[in-house]
Amino acid sequence: MKAVVFKEPYKVSCEDVEQPSNPQAGEAIVRVMACGLCGSDLHPYRGAEAGLRPGTVCGHEFAGVVEEVGTGVKLVPGERVAASFTTACGDCWYCTHGLSSRCNSAQLFGWIDEQNQGIHGGQAQFVRVPHADGTLMKLPDNVSFEEGVLMGDILATGYFCAKNALNMLADSKISPAELSIAVIGCGPVGLCTIASARMLGVGQIYAVDRVAARVEAAAQLGALSAGVETANGGRGVDAVLEVVGAYDALKLGFELVRPGGVISSVGVHAHSKGFPVSPSDCYDKNITFKSGRCPARSLMGEIGDLIASTYIARHIISHRVPLETASEMYEKFEAQKDGILKVVFNPWA
């Protein structure tokens, strides 16, 4: 089968690899119909996250059709499904308490370490899925494979980020329509965050990004491109939603948020610079901070209305391309060339 494999930092390749078969108990083989290139894929691509074994099939965003199942799996061949970006058993304490990202047996698709521990990813024609019933969600008839790709990672993450902020502000007695927030980072996850905040009723959303095209895309979703420095008469925004995963982005968040405000951070901080403020800085500003990996599988059932109401796929998918273009797409995405925003691969094109 065709698959995108990691070779070394700044090098991936579309190659013929062995097709997964003979699913074991609890496993499913999925025929991938659409798969995404995520900003998180760039961390090992750039070498910022070390330890990925060369030859690993990349990618953790995919949707498709169940091809085969092992014993004990309730899903049946032919069903349309989307996967969360990490596996989830569905039965442990974390899975049953809405925190599937901390499942006792969670594994990230597309990560096999140098000791050969891990699982291959979904930028391929087929993928093996452990804990199939807990990891895969049957797609509603009105949700496309492309939308399924978004549901399992970046849309769930954007929703998680916005929902966390609103939950932390619940005691402020400010209605969502009166709230002002700043979204730092307007790439695909940032745009999903803006769409989620809008659906949750937030009245004023500021888009913060260095790339003009991304700010323009955010404006199409109703975000403001200027004025964040003077929000609320200069008091600051009620919440900052940080989705970049960069030291400077989080530092800016602490500068923009008002005293007593909240910071919801879902960016993957793959750096060693530490935290941009001290505990006393947070104390002196009464800041509430929440961070963590999105429990995508726990949230996928909640965001069906978000998919239906925002048509988010048409706003953020900029490139629909075959797997054979992977090397070019990784390079362009990393360098932000040619207006690239979100890449979705068609493994069968």
mmCIF file of all heavy atoms in Angstrom, residues 72 155 217 224:
data_model
loop_
_atom_site.group_PDB
_atom_site.id
_atom_site.type_symbol
_atom_site.label_atom_id
_atom_site.label_comp_id
_atom_site.label_asym_id
_atom_site.label_seq_id
_atom_site.Cartn_x
_atom_site.Cartn_y
_atom_site.Cartn_z
ATOM 1 N N GLY A 72 -14.339 -9.577 19.105
ATOM 2 C CA GLY A 72 -14.779 -8.692 20.170
ATOM 3 C C GLY A 72 -15.095 -7.276 19.738
ATOM 4 O O GLY A 72 -15.543 -6.472 20.565
ATOM 5 N N LEU A 155 -10.594 20.051 15.204
ATOM 6 C CA LEU A 155 -11.870 20.646 15.590
ATOM 7 C C LEU A 155 -12.184 20.329 17.051
ATOM 8 O O LEU A 155 -12.646 21.195 17.807
ATOM 9 C CB LEU A 155 -12.997 20.160 14.678
ATOM 10 C CG LEU A 155 -14.353 20.820 14.905
ATOM 11 C CD1 LEU A 155 -14.268 22.336 14.771
ATOM 12 C CD2 LEU A 155 -15.396 20.264 13.941
ATOM 13 N N ALA A 217 -8.505 34.810 7.078
ATOM 14 C CA ALA A 217 -9.366 33.633 7.198
ATOM 15 C C ALA A 217 -10.173 33.686 8.491
ATOM 16 O O ALA A 217 -11.348 33.319 8.524
ATOM 17 C CB ALA A 217 -8.518 32.361 7.146
ATOM 18 N N LEU A 224 -12.236 39.613 14.880
ATOM 19 C CA LEU A 224 -11.711 40.959 14.657
ATOM 20 C C LEU A 224 -10.205 40.891 14.464
ATOM 21 O O LEU A 224 -9.502 40.163 15.179
ATOM 22 C CB LEU A 224 -12.038 41.869 15.841
ATOM 23 C CG LEU A 224 -13.519 42.034 16.180
ATOM 24 C CD1 LEU A 224 -13.692 42.757 17.502
ATOM 25 C CD2 LEU A 224 -14.233 42.775 15.059
#
